């Protein structure tokens, strides 16, 4: 780009500081454990904050006051630990009078939105895909001309906890649509999407014995869509079933392609799958926020 | 032939009435058939109600709407078009042909002949539609049989689909064909006997009359055989339902009506734990007194999660009776697809087998005759001693393979939720037996100590914000 870019440091606003100053943010950005600790997903957190800054959203984070929502404990059956975590977080939210929470993790999103109300925590909870879609619709994020992803082949992998769990299928796709990319669907997508293999606390344990790892199965499906290789679908299990999407058009271009995700665990599983298939040289896994931040030229 | 003797008793009916010994016999057979069915349904109802209480009242219009769409309208079947169309034929055939069963009941009780024929053109439409549907049902059932036994449809295989479940599926198909053959025998013989004066339209039977003998006596016997075979077949089939996966034709409706209205990602909160946690956080919190027996003594505390069928909610047991073992759940389960032991269908089938083993079993199906051995033949861990649902039927290895992705819940055409039962059994393993896989115990202690499922220091939680810049147009 010909324009001169300046690098502005971001001082991420802490909820405690805002409260001390008697201010109230528009949203609380719930970072989540993966967003705070996982090196790969920290880049997503940073990309999303850049977008918030760019769009002049008045936001705040809890910083060290955040603690696990309890999702992995609950899915693993440890209801006691889940509720301990939930009550602790609800106490924090109530202390600050939080009303609106945005998070880049579908698991945190589902837990706070659906399972905290029964424990006394009622908030408007928004996943970052929906929030990005809103910013785009309001014209606060533009991505004029599609940015650097124009024409690049991208396939979106549905997170179970965003999709089937909460019926959010269109928001991430509408966000990706502004990139003007060659967006293709996998054979199993939306309500028929195949899990990456990490949900239900699988992220923290080895899979049970079987004939294949779930993330490898899903990655092969994504690669078949990206490569336009219908023949590769024959190696997958169960794709004949369901309201399967169309087989993507064949593709000869050697240009790199992208698996887009909107969940930290999907990110890990799909990245591992790409490594397993030795395709890191021409297939990358990005969160939708990273793609938007890059296309908007916000990285510095 | 007809022993006609009381035709004058009901002069105002729009059809002639002729009582005979056949009518008395029919009355006895019908009463026995429906009575036996009511007795079986009472047993099933009692079995379902051994489950834990769960308030599913309210939201009547939303529930009725969903029942109309999903159960009556088969909305979720249409994700797979071929079986959806075949199933639609049999389903519509079942409903429309049952209008004719009303006529059979009237004819049987009052000795009338085609009592509804006073409807005129409407009657012709009804009978004609039945004939076409009956023929289509035979075609659809043949297609079903082929798909199930020859066609290599993967979801009709699997360890849980051997022995009784496999036989059950084919019995249903054979009985449906027999019922249709009886219907056509009755109609074709009746048509040949009475000729064109016979009320009704017979697009299929008129093609079959050539196959029948021409003696009126033989035709009359054939008509009676077809008539009796059809109605006795239906009554027998009705009483077969509680032992069969075919019970779904009834149970699908209450099951959809009582299915969850909340987002699929929302898991239940355990109330007893909520009280404990609140009391820990706030010493002034008053934990409600435990429920009491009628004599005032405190009831034994229920375990956390589910070890056996009576630890599950009644809706989970209703699920088990609504399952037609189609395997759509298992065919989309990521764990099952990649070769793990978990099969959501098996969990639901195990639940029904176990509840009937522990409580009442229906007339025909005896769980100990066809028991879980068939399903578990390839599995190692089986605790024959306790023989509860957990471990006796469902192994921890199956439960731990679940990714809680909700694909099974989404796939079920009658809104069965295998995930709820899986989570309840996981809760028992973790909270009552501390039997989680070790790596998950590590994750639990990380959350307890670090507030994150990984072993990171809580003081590093905000490090992601260090040295963060955004590019801006100058």
């Amino acid at each position: 780009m010909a324009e001169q870019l300046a690098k502005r440091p971001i001082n991420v606003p802490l909820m405690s500081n805002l409260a001390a100053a008697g201010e109230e943010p528009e949203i609380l950005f719930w970072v989540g454990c993966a967003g705070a600790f996982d090196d790969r997903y920290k880049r997503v957190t940073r990309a999303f904050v850049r977008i918030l800054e760019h769009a002049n959203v008045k936001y705040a984070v809890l910083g060290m006051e955040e603690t696990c929502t309890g999702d992995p404990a609950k899915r693993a059956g440890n209801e006691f630990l889940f509720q301990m975590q939930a009550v602790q977080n609800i106490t924090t939210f109530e202390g600050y009078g939080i009303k609106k929470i945005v998070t880049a993790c579908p698991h945190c999103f589902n837990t706070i939105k659906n399972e905290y109300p029964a424990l006394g925590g009622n908030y408007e909870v928004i996943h970052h895909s929906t929030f990005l879609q809103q910013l785009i619709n309001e014209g606060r994020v533009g991505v004029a001309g599609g940015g650097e992803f124009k024409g690049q082949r991208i396939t979106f992998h549905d997170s179970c906890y965003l999709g089937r769990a909460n019926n959010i299928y269109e928001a991430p796709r509408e966000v990706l649509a502004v990139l003007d990319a060659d967006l293709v669907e996998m054979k199993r997508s939306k309500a028929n999407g195949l899990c990456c293999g990490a949900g239900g606390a699988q992220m923290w344990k080895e899979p049970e014995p079987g004939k294949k790892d779930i993330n490898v199965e899903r990655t092969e499906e994504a690669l078949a869509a990206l490569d336009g290789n219908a023949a590769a679908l024959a190696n997958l299990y169960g794709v004949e079933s369901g309201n399967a999407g169309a087989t993507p058009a064949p593709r000869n271009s050697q240009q790199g392609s992208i698996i887009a995700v909107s969940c930290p665990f999907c990110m890990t599983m799909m990245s591992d799958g790409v490594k397993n298939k030795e395709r890191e040289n021409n297939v990358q896994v990005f969160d939708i926020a990273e793609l938007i931040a890059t296309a908007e030229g916000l990285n510095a | 032939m007809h022993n006609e003797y009381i035709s004058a008793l009901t002069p105002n009916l729009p059809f002639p009435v002729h009582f005979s010994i056949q009518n008395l016999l029919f009355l006895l057979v019908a009463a026995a058939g429906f009575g036996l069915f009511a007795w079986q349904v009472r047993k099933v109802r009692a079995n379902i109600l051994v489950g834990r209480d769960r308030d599913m009242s309210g939201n009547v219009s939303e529930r009725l709407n969903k029942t109309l769409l999903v159960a009556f309208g088969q909305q979720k079947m249409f994700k797979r078009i071929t079986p959806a169309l075949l199933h639609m034929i049999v389903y519509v055939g079942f409903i429309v042909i049952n209008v004719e069963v009303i006529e059979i009941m009237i004819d049987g009780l009052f000795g009338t002949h085609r009592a509804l024929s006073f409807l005129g053109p409407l009657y012709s439409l009804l009978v004609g539609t039945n004939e076409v549907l009956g023929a289509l049902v035979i075609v659809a059932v043949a297609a079903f049989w082929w798909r199930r036994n020859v066609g290599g449809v993967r979801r009709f295989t699997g360890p849980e689909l051997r022995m009784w479940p496999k036989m059950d599926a084919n019995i249903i198909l054979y009985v449906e064909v027999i019922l249709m053959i009886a219907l056509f025998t009755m109609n074709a013989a009746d048509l040949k006997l009475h000729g064109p004066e016979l009320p009704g339209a017979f697009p299929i039977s008129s093609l079959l009359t050539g196959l029948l003998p021409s003696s009126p006596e033989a035709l009359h016997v054939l008509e009676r055989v077809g008539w009796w075979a059809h109605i006795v077949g239906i009554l027998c089939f009705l009483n077969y339902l509680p032992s069969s996966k075919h019970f779904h034709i009834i149970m699908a409706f209450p099951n959809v009506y009582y299915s969850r209205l909340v987002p699929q990602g929302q898991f239940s909160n355990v109330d007893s734990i909520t009280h404990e946690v609140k009391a820990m956080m706030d010493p002034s919190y008053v934990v409600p007194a435990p429920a009491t027996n009628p004599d005032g003594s405190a009831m034994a505390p229920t375990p956390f999660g589910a070890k056996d069928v009576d630890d599950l909610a009644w809706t989970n047991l209703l699920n088990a009776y609504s399952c037609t073992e189609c395997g759509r759940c298992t065919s989309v389960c990521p764990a099952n697809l990649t070769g793990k032991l978990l099969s959501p269908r098996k969990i639901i089938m195990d639940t029904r087998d176990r509840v009937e083993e522990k409580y009442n079993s229906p007339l025909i199906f005896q769980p100990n005759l066809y028991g879980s051995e068939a399903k578990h033949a390839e599995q190692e861990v089986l605790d024959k001693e306790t023989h509860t649902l957990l471990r006796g039927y469902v192994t921890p290895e199956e439960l731990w393979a679940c990714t809680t992705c909700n694909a099974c819940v989404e796939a079920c055409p009658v809104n069965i939720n295998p995930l709820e039962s899986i989570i309840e059994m996981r809760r028992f393993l973790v909270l009552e037996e501390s039997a989680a896989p070790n790596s998950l115990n590590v994750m639990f202690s990380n959350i307890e100590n670090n507030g994150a499922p990984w072993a990171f220091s809580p003081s590093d939680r905000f490090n992601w914000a260090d040295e963060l810049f955004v590019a801006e147009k100058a």
Side-chain angles (χ1 to χ4, degrees), chain B residues 54-75:
Chain B
R54 181 180 190 180
D55 185 10
M56 282 290 179
S57 60
N59 302 304
V60 174
S61 65
E62 194 181 354
R63 290 186 182 281
L64 284 176
N65 198 25
K66 196 167 60 162
T67 309
L68 205 64
L69 279 175
V70 175
F72 195 76
Q74 307 198 358
Q75 186 187 41

Side-chain angles (χ1 to χ4, degrees), chain A residues 171-190:
Chain A
R173 288 176 170 80
E174 285 188 26
V175 170
L176 291 172
V178 303
L179 300 175
D180 206 13
D182 173 19
L183 212 54
V184 290
E185 290 289 347
M186 284 185 243
K187 197 76 178 161
R188 288 170 284 198
S189 73
K190 299 184 182 173

Side-chain angles (χ1 to χ4, degrees), chain A residues 118-194:
Chain A
L119 301 169
N122 291 286
Y123 316 99
E124 184 188 354
V125 191
I126 302 175
H127 184 252
H128 78 318
S129 57
T130 309
F131 194 73
L132 287 172
Q133 183 197 15
Q134 287 169 4
L135 291 180
I136 291 164
N137 290 348
E138 291 164 9
R140 293 164 84 178
V141 172
V143 195
E148 65 182 71
F149 300 106
K150 189 180 170 80
Q152 221 181 326
R153 187 165 271 200
I154 300 179
T155 192
F156 178 70
H157 163 78
D158 287 279
S159 149
C160 305
Y161 275 82
L162 197 59
R164 276 186 295 269
N166 289 291
N167 283 317
I168 297 175
Y169 301 110
E170 294 310 322
R173 288 176 170 80
E174 285 188 26
V175 170
L176 291 172
V178 303
L179 300 175
D180 206 13
D182 173 19
L183 212 54
V184 290
E185 290 289 347
M186 284 185 243
K187 197 76 178 161
R188 288 170 284 198
S189 73
K190 299 184 182 173
N192 299 315
L194 185 77

Side-chain angles (χ1 to χ4, degrees), chain A residues 3-10 12 14 31-37 42 45-46 49-50 61 63-64 66-68 72-85 87 110 113-115 118-119 160-161 164-166 169 188 191-192 194-195 197 199-202 204-205 207-214 217 237-238 241-243 265 297-300, chain B residues 78-80 154 263-271 273-278 280-281 331-341 396-408 410 419 423 426-428 430-431 436-437 439-440 443-445 447-448 450-454 456-474:
Chain A
E3 291 161 285
Q4 190 66 41
L5 293 179
K7 202 171 151 184
R8 175 171 70 80
I10 301 174
V12 178
L14 275 172
V31 178
C33 299
F37 291 119
K42 276 198 252 182
T45 307
R46 290 161 71 93
V49 164
R50 287 187 180 110
V61 299
M64 285 192 273
E66 227 184 71
T67 180
C68 175
K74 188 175 183 87
R75 311 300 139 188
N78 196 336
E79 182 68 14
F80 192 83
L81 180 55
F82 159 71
Q83 292 202 12
M84 293 289 289
Q85 293 298 117
V87 168
N110 176 69
K113 173 177 169 284
N114 294 324
E115 289 158 1
L119 301 169
C160 305
Y161 275 82
R164 276 186 295 269
N166 289 291
Y169 301 110
R188 288 170 284 198
N192 299 315
L194 185 77
C195 176
Q202 299 293 338
W204 291 272
K205 60 183 269 298
E208 275 58 37
K211 54 193 176 190
K212 197 179 197 177
D213 282 344
I214 296 171
E217 166 86 1
Y237 298 107
S241 60
N243 195 9
F265 307 145
L298 303 180
N299 294 333
Chain B
F78 280 86
K79 288 183 170 188
R80 303 188 193 198
R154 185 185 174 268
Q264 284 177 4
Q266 180 177 332
F267 289 15
S268 65
N269 283 327
V270 180
D271 291 338
I273 291 178
T274 307
H275 296 312
E276 271 187 59
V277 169
K278 285 194 172 159
M280 276 176 74
M281 295 295 194
S331 76
V332 295
C333 172
N336 188 276
L337 284 173
T338 55
K340 281 79 175 177
L341 274 188
E397 183 179 334
E398 295 167 68
L399 299 172
W400 291 120
C402 175
T403 69
T404 71
C405 76
N406 264 306
C408 53
E410 183 81 34
L419 181 52
I423 290 301
R426 277 190 179 182
R427 282 176 178 163
F428 189 89
V430 170
L431 297 172
S439 48
L440 289 186
M443 180 264 283
F444 295 151
S445 63
I447 293 179
E448 282 166 24
N450 311 321
W454 295 283
F456 291 108
S457 165
S459 58
D460 292 341
R461 191 177 265 279
F462 198 36
N463 290 359
W464 61 265
D466 294 347
E467 312 230 352
L468 180 56
F469 300 90
V470 60
E472 279 185 339
K473 285 163 193 155

Side-chain angles (χ1 to χ4, degrees), chain A residues 34-50:
Chain A
F37 291 119
D38 180 272
D39 278 338
R40 178 65 189 85
Y41 220 66
K42 276 198 252 182
R43 287 173 21 212
V44 176
T45 307
R46 290 161 71 93
F48 187 62
V49 164
R50 287 187 180 110

Side-chain angles (χ1 to χ4, degrees), chain B residues 129 154 170 204 239 269 292 323 336 359 407 429 445:
Chain B
T129 309
R154 185 185 174 268
N170 282 324
I204 307 294
N239 279 288
N269 283 327
T292 50
C323 177
N336 188 276
Y359 296 95
L429 285 171
S445 63

Side-chain angles (χ1 to χ4, degrees), chain B residues 84-356:
Chain B
L85 291 175
L86 293 172
H87 186 267
M88 186 56 101
I89 290 171
V90 179
Y91 170 68
V92 174
F94 166 75
I95 288 180
V96 178
I97 291 171
N98 273 351
V99 177
E100 195 161 320
V101 173
I102 296 173
E103 182 182 54
I104 291 184
M105 298 298 295
I106 297 171
D107 286 353
L109 290 172
F110 300 108
T112 50
H113 179 241
R114 296 191 177 262
L116 298 186
S117 58
F118 70 91
L119 295 170
L122 201 60
Y123 184 73
S124 296
L125 182 68
L126 174 70
V127 175
T129 309
N130 273 348
E131 287 246 318
V132 174
L133 281 171
L136 286 173
V137 165
I138 293 179
V139 173
V141 166
F144 277 147
W145 187 91
W146 191 85
R147 282 168 61 85
R148 183 169 288 275
N149 296 289
V150 189
V153 179
R154 185 185 174 268
R155 62 189 166 90
F156 296 136
T157 62
E160 70 269 25
L161 227 57
R162 294 176 292 184
M163 308 284 285
W164 171 253
K166 186 178 170 66
M167 193 164 81
D168 179 29
N170 282 324
I171 289 173
I172 295 160
L173 297 178
Y174 300 143
V175 170
E176 279 169 353
V177 170
I178 290 169
L179 290 178
M180 291 307 108
I181 290 175
L183 184 73
F184 285 124
T185 306
M186 175 182 90
N187 279 352
D190 211 14
L191 185 64
K192 194 160 185 173
L193 195 62
H194 292 91
E197 294 107 73
L198 185 70
F202 301 91
I204 307 294
S205 292
S206 58
L207 306 174
L208 302 174
T209 48
L211 300 172
L212 301 180
S214 41
S215 109
E217 287 78 16
L219 286 173
H220 185 76
V221 169
L222 269 179
E223 190 272 340
R224 286 291 88 193
V225 167
W227 188 92
W228 276 100
H230 190 65
I231 189 63
V232 172
I234 283 174
L235 290 172
C236 288
F237 203 34
L238 186 68
N239 279 288
Y240 177 70
L241 295 184
S243 298
S244 165
K245 79 190 193 81
H246 210 51
F247 208 19
H248 81 283
I249 64 174
I250 294 169
M251 301 304 278
F253 293 87
N255 193 65
V256 171
Y257 182 85
Y258 286 115
S259 60
R260 291 165 17 129
L261 301 172
V262 298
Q264 284 177 4
Q266 180 177 332
F267 289 15
S268 65
N269 283 327
V270 180
D271 291 338
S272 54
I273 291 178
T274 307
H275 296 312
E276 271 187 59
V277 169
K278 285 194 172 159
M280 276 176 74
M281 295 295 194
D282 173 10
S284 65
Y285 181 80
V286 181
V287 177
T292 50
N293 289 316
D295 64 4
S297 62
M299 278 165 75
T302 50
F304 296 127
K307 183 185 192 183
D308 212 345
V309 283
D310 30 22
D311 300 325
L312 291 169
W314 65 271
T315 50
N316 303 131
L317 305 183
L318 179 62
N319 279 181
Y321 276 101
S322 313
C323 177
T324 193
E325 300 164 15
C326 71
R328 281 169 176 75
C329 51
T330 295
S331 76
V332 295
C333 172
N336 188 276
L337 284 173
T338 55
K340 281 79 175 177
L341 274 188
L342 174 64
S343 162
R345 169 174 61 189
K346 177 182 167 295
I347 306 249
I348 298 299
M349 291 170 68
D350 284 345
T351 304
R352 181 165 171 182
D353 287 357
R354 171 59 186 159
V355 78
E356 293 183 344

